[in-house]
Amino acid sequence: DDLEDGRPRMNDIEDPFVSDPTRDPRLRQITAKPCNAETAGEDLAEAFLTPNEVFYVRNHMWVPVIEDTAADAHGITIELPDGDVKTYTVHDLKAKFKQYSVTAVLQCSGNRRRDMTEHANKTNGLQWGPGAISCAKWEGVRLRDVLKDAGLPLDDLPEDAQHVQFSGLEAYGASIPIHSALDPRGDVLLAFKMNDLPLPRDHGFPVRVIVPGTVAARCVKWVSKIVVSDEESDTSWQRRDYKCFGPNETRDLDWDKYKSIQEMPITSAITRARKKSADGNHVEVEGYAYSGGGHEIQRVDVSLDGGKTWDQASLVDDSEQDSGSKAWSWKRWRYEGALPTTTEAAAFVVKATDDAYNTQPQCYKSIYNLRGNLATAWHR
Amino acid sequence: DDLEDGRPRMNDIEDPFVSDPTRDPRLRQITAKPCNAETAGEDLAEAFLTPNEVFYVRNHMWVPVIEDTAADAHGITIELPDGDVKTYTVHDLKAKFKQYSVTAVLQCSGNRRRDMTEHANKTNGLQWGPGAISCAKWEGVRLRDVLKDAGLPLDDLPEDAQHVQFSGLEAYGASIPIHSALDPRGDVLLAFKMNDLPLPRDHGFPVRVIVPGTVAARCVKWVSKIVVSDEESDTSWQRRDYKCFGPNETRDLDWDKYKSIQEMPITSAITRARKKSADGNHVEVEGYAYSGGGHEIQRVDVSLDGGKTWDQASLVDDSEQDSGSKAWSWKRWRYEGALPTTTEAAAFVVKATDDAYNTQPQCYKSIYNLRGNLATAWHR
Ligand SMILES: [Mo]
Ligand SMILES: [Mo]
């Protein structure tokens, strides 16, 4: 009998993480199995496009094994509301559809969760610092083109085409609203390349969904199935984990009360502070600002006195660096100033404003939620 | 000689406001000439669709005179980047294009400016309370369809088609980005009707541009000319007045530094508080919450202790009431609770969250700008 209490014995379960890739030591590991690791401030500050090897990793399970030689044969099954099923291999996708490149940030809804825990209250979830965000150039085919080819009538959508569900090889799943998937200026891709290289295994090799402007939790890696449905994906990642309840709503939650996080709100963070004078008073501070939904950062306000008075940081990145229909990327910023003393460094505050003139909340307490999602308060 | 110091004598200028319509006494007048008048809290609280006669009025000049019998002959000239010019009368528009109805809020960028003045600093502009906002059902033809018919190649836009400029008969002008104008789900209308009635004179009779989710300053009334151009409208309403500089940017402004306000950020306000018990402690508080860009209100948080603890208000309006491609309307909300004493009523605070989980800023000081635009801080 192979069973103990009706289950296989521990030693009989092969560790599904045994084939996970080796990670760059510069990544700051939060959990090993599954791998969750954030990008160091230094690496966020250094480049507009985060190098693949230090791009933050957020895995819900193990990394599926697909040999390089098997990549082109990897299939994606597409199911339409009328029951039609069609399968495209990666080879088919590359041969049949025009490829596009899009520069876009990916960000975990839990980015900066640690700050919310520290400044508000206990939160459930990985305790990320400000490094659960990175920016890359993605290349692949448009989901819109593929769905059209598969037979979805884009100009006369059936009533039951409300959501597009994605499933990955490791069993993760999530969905996006149909209009996000089909927006001609939404730039939703089935991506094969990241910063001009084949997708690394940790980032979805051989193919990952990229939904610019939207929480990375919808950008399903190792995608193998796409279903157009009248319902959202039924996973807890879609229906429970990635929502924000009110600060007081901590028990007996009605999970259907609020919408799943999709478009991300505006945020900013400090990534690096360096002394520019011998006495250490003159300091250069750097960081990023990002808003979801294709909104462009307009202004980054910094304060040396905890928010009483403000000045503007210089924006390092300009819109020329973006490829794609909207502003899907971040803007890095830089500010030089004289801080009174290093011990008062906590008085340095940053907040950003986007082109809809949305701004960040001042305090974590007012946006506190049990899951610690979207910890976008002014960063200190 | 008709001139005095080179100008016509005062008595020789006919008062251009002499033909302005009579306004409903329930409107709260801020200026008479031009007419600027806000909707009373009572009227904002009472109905999802604000009745035409108490819909807030924001005029930059006088109300042009077009007789009812001349309305159908009113012409709109359309200029394309290649120099092509075409004119449609209102009659042409109604006869040639399908009509759509859209429920949408209009809001002045100066809504609640008075609060910013009071809580932060002096602001330039009309000192609106929370009533420079209203909601109506608009009916008309799609700007997209008209531009297409006029010869603009929608699927192969020329490089110099960047903005759509609108001019009104009284000389007001403004523009929106081309992609806002053409978005198939943007519902931009040339509207003839407001709440099932012909447009009132104060609201643009016979035809007004309606750009749902966008600041009302772009919804040009009495529109007579539409130009597709590589440039924004060159009026100061487009290039100067409706922008937000930082709290510290109060002189030597570089007007090109920031984008014109288009999509509006999330806001909410209290419109009515009524005693529900004899001692006046039990109170019903009502208000609205609105976010631009088609974002739907998710949650309205209220606090009885100035923001230390929170509860959720009930949302009175549901999405069923919306017509149009996105959530262009407001949600009214209601909350019943026991306020300690009436003198502490100022401790009642409201803030809203939309479906991108954007929230309102806590204080006016952090969003202070010289023009007092977008005074969206938590409302007390
Ligand atoms: Mo995430
Ligand atoms: Mo306005």
Side-chain angles (χ1 to χ4, degrees), chain B residues 58 108-110 215 217 242:
Chain B
R58 202 287 181 243
C108 178
S109 72
V215 63
Y242 295 103

Side-chain angles (χ1 to χ4, degrees), chain A residues 121-155:
Chain A
N121 207 344
K122 180 177 172 298
T123 59
N124 300 334
L126 299 167
Q127 298 298 304
W128 298 101
I133 184 171
S134 296
C135 186
K137 177 184 164 198
W138 309 94
E139 241 175 308
V141 299
R142 286 196 177 155
L143 176 61
R144 177 187 160 87
D145 296 343
V146 178
L147 290 177
K148 184 180 177 185
D149 186 82
L152 188 70
L154 303 196
D155 293 326

